[in-house]
Amino acid sequence: MKHIVKSTEPPTFAAWKTTHAAHIASIGNDARALWDYWGQHHGGAKNDLKHQLLDDQGFICCYCMQGIQHDPNTSIEHVEPKSSDPQALAFDWNNLLAACNGSRPDPQPRELICDAEKGNQFIKVSPLHVTCESQFEFKQLDGAISGKTTDAVDTIAILNLNASKLKRLRSAVIAQELEETTDPVVAASRIPALLTKSSTGRFSPFCLALISFLKFEFNLP
């Protein structure tokens, strides 16, 4: 999980909330009705919102860190479930992130992940927490993620971050990294690069998993 620093709320999203404030209030605390209203009447503000979320995150999922795009497969996620306080949380910029498709389109039997698995549960480690990166580690070639705290272990379970599909994806990028990174000096030089967005504003998918594994594999601080 990579720490996400929120930027400024998109002006079109802020304007939409102001313009539709009366109707939003009239819906009350029906979280689904509020989000359905947004989906039907966003007037293009949704595109700006999703673009800003993706830009902030470097086009990686807020939870599993796989690459995501500005397309219908990317969902707008509420870190704190909007159902817990719909009027306060449904349209709170600081509660919104971009997530992968949660494996929803995969054929059955499937393992849901990220927001699709989380549903209305609360997670104890959020990508908005400054300390989130230090609470997870990757030490295995099979791509498994481990929690270094009880909260992290619980969060892995709630988001199903050890789903077989995610482990395969992470294992593949780790194997590729090891083909190109053969000694501690090269490994140390790779870490700043993995923490830097590309010229197109993207982080490498699973960048924190690669960093964690390189530090473990080459005994780096």
Side-chain angles (χ1 to χ4, degrees), residues 115-126:
D115 69 311
E117 178 68 11
K118 169 177 168 277
N120 290 326
Q121 298 179 82
F122 289 83
I123 53 174
K124 296 179 179 179
V125 182
S126 159

Side-chain angles (χ1 to χ4, degrees), residues 1 10 12 26 29 45 50-51 71 90 95 107 117 133 135 156 158 176-177 182 187 194 198:
M1 187 178 290
T12 52
S26 72
N29 283 319
K50 187 177 284 188
H51 179 79
D71 60 27
N95 191 46
E117 178 68 11
E133 295 180 8
Q135 297 192 54
I156 290 169
I158 290 171
Q176 179 64 37
E177 185 69 32
T182 56
L194 288 167
S198 70

Side-chain angles (χ1 to χ4, degrees), residues 28-181:
N29 283 319
D30 186 330
R32 177 171 293 183
L34 283 167
W35 205 240
D36 286 346
Y37 178 78
W38 155 254
Q40 295 165 11
H41 303 282
H42 60 78
K46 184 177 181 179
N47 290 329
D48 293 341
L49 174 61
K50 187 177 284 188
H51 179 79
Q52 191 59 61
L53 294 173
L54 287 164
D55 189 58
D56 288 351
Q57 296 170 209
F59 290 79
I60 58 174
C61 173
C62 60
Y63 296 136
C64 72
M65 299 185 293
Q66 67 176 294
I68 53 178
Q69 305 295 329
H70 194 324
D71 60 27
N73 286 319
T74 296
S75 63
I76 297 175
E77 159 69 346
H78 295 81
V79 182
E80 186 174 347
K82 59 184 181 293
S83 58
S84 65
D85 189 350
Q87 285 289 323
L89 296 173
F91 305 114
D92 179 3
W93 163 247
N94 291 310
N95 191 46
L96 302 177
L97 294 174
C100 66
N101 62 27
S103 295
R104 294 179 184 90
D106 291 0
Q108 296 285 5
R110 66 187 179 191
E111 294 180 278
L112 295 178
I113 61 172
C114 299
D115 69 311
E117 178 68 11
K118 169 177 168 277
N120 290 326
Q121 298 179 82
F122 289 83
I123 53 174
K124 296 179 179 179
V125 182
S126 159
L128 297 174
H129 297 162
V130 175
T131 61
C132 69
E133 295 180 8
S134 65
Q135 297 192 54
F136 303 93
E137 59 187 358
F138 301 82
K139 294 182 175 181
Q140 301 182 51
L141 286 170
D142 69 355
I145 180 175
S146 301
K148 298 168 71 174
T149 65
T150 301
D151 287 348
V153 171
D154 290 344
T155 299
I156 290 169
I158 290 171
L159 298 172
N160 197 20
L161 295 181
N162 267 323
S164 56
K165 177 180 178 179
L166 284 178
K167 289 173 67 176
R168 287 196 303 271
L169 290 171
R170 291 192 296 250
S171 179
V173 297
I174 287 171
Q176 179 64 37
E177 185 69 32
L178 287 178
E179 285 186 12
E180 302 171 1
T181 306

